[in-house]
Amino acid sequence: MADKHKHVDEVSGVETTGHEWDGIRELNNPLPRWWVYSFYATIIWAIGYAIAYPSWPMLTEATKGMLGYSSRAEVSAELAEAKAAQAGNLERIASSAVEDIMANPELKQFAITAGASAFKVNCAQCHGSGAAGGKGFPNLNDDDWLWGGKPQEIYQTIAHGVRHAPDGETRVSEMPPFGDMLTPEQMQQTAAYVVSLTQAPSQPHLVQQGKQVFADNCASCHGADAKGNREMGAPNLADAIWLKGEGEQAIIDQMKSPKHGVMPAWLQRIGDPVVKELAVFVHSLGGGE
């Protein structure tokens, strides 16, 4: 029964608390008992949690908690367990040739998984997170390989790099600048011929002349059919896959002043087992031979 001395809201029929602000009154609606008890329970639970587990920050460290639990110790134990589980496979990879790893389904799958992680750390900065490359950086998903796409060939490229001077076994290829050897007209003719191998050139009448210029100056490296030479790192010009730029002007620019990329040698940086894992992973992307 409402106290007759207390104000009752006319709309809701509920007593007000007696507080008033600019004519606005507060209804006196206490929280349900179950909610209040639940709130008290969470307070008790929080106090117990703070006592049992590390919680309160001190000057140099947090309180230890009566249970002595440590998330860092838990993570360290999980890492140690993972390393122990991997130890056998890591030893087998270290002592096996790339071809032997490829022939062992279990070891191959382990190498692919490990290689994917190593790729993100060491290779994605240039080749992209999906290994699709970019201008000046090869796409590792396709089947166009400058130095060969077999597992051992990929291993060799990763291990010793490309044009990495400190490594005596690095891949080396140098395209000479033709700006002083060919006239502008001859370079236009050559570009028209190269483009004609995959699409229509802007000046079709230059193709035949360009074919002869190509045979005299370019075929020794790129081959008479312009399909490249992997022993020399000369790219295939007849597959519409372009590393330095697409189009006649890009071809002329490359002939005039060639761009030579450099890939570091990774063997000394990350070790032989990781290089093998990377080689197996790259081969598995779909373009490996």
Side-chain angles (χ1 to χ4, degrees), residues 8-248:
V8 177
D9 179 59
E10 296 179 1
V11 177
S12 63
V14 177
E15 293 181 355
T16 63
T17 61
H19 304 147
E20 182 180 346
W21 297 272
D22 295 332
I24 300 173
R25 296 176 182 272
E26 179 185 6
L27 297 179
N28 185 14
N29 280 324
L31 291 168
R33 289 291 181 183
W34 68 265
W35 195 98
V36 176
Y37 293 148
S38 298
F39 178 65
Y40 291 156
T42 59
I43 294 175
I44 295 172
W45 180 87
I47 294 172
Y49 187 93
I51 294 173
Y53 290 92
S55 56
W56 295 98
M58 310 295 283
L59 291 177
T60 57
E61 58 183 8
T63 55
K64 299 292 186 182
M66 295 186 65
L67 298 180
Y69 172 79
S70 170
S71 58
R72 292 186 177 181
E74 189 176 68
V75 171
S76 297
E78 290 177 354
L79 289 175
E81 184 179 347
K83 288 181 179 179
Q86 295 174 2
N89 284 331
L90 291 174
E91 291 175 0
R92 292 165 66 191
I93 286 178
S95 61
S96 301
V98 178
E99 291 83 355
D100 296 332
I101 297 172
M102 295 290 296
N104 185 318
E106 178 186 353
L107 204 57
K108 177 182 176 181
Q109 185 56 51
F110 178 86
I112 290 174
T113 303
S117 298
F119 186 91
K120 293 176 183 177
V121 175
N122 301 286
C123 315
Q125 294 82 355
C126 292
H127 292 284
S129 58
K135 187 176 180 179
F137 300 102
N139 180 354
L140 304 179
N141 296 293
D142 59 29
D143 56 0
D144 193 56
W145 297 91
L146 287 175
W147 303 97
K150 295 180 181 179
Q152 184 58 42
E153 293 169 334
I154 297 173
Y155 171 87
Q156 177 72 16
T157 301
I158 297 173
H160 301 289
V162 179
R163 304 182 192 91
H164 184 74
D167 192 304
E169 297 182 57
T170 192
R171 306 280 200 185
V172 178
S173 65
E174 294 289 340
M175 175 176 173
F178 284 91
D180 296 329
M181 301 185 222
L182 301 177
T183 66
E185 292 76 18
Q186 288 176 312
M187 285 190 284
Q188 287 182 340
Q189 293 164 357
T190 306
Y193 167 68
V194 171
V195 167
S196 74
L197 298 174
T198 56
Q199 55 187 292
S202 61
Q203 302 182 73
H205 63 281
L206 299 179
V207 171
Q208 285 304 314
Q209 295 168 299
K211 184 176 182 180
Q212 185 59 51
V213 178
F214 183 93
D216 294 339
N217 298 275
C218 314
S220 57
C221 291
H222 293 282
D225 55 2
K227 291 187 177 180
N229 184 339
R230 290 179 174 180
E231 293 183 1
M232 305 177 66
N236 183 351
L237 304 179
D239 60 2
I241 298 176
W242 302 96
L243 182 61
K244 304 298 184 181
E246 183 177 359
E248 293 174 58

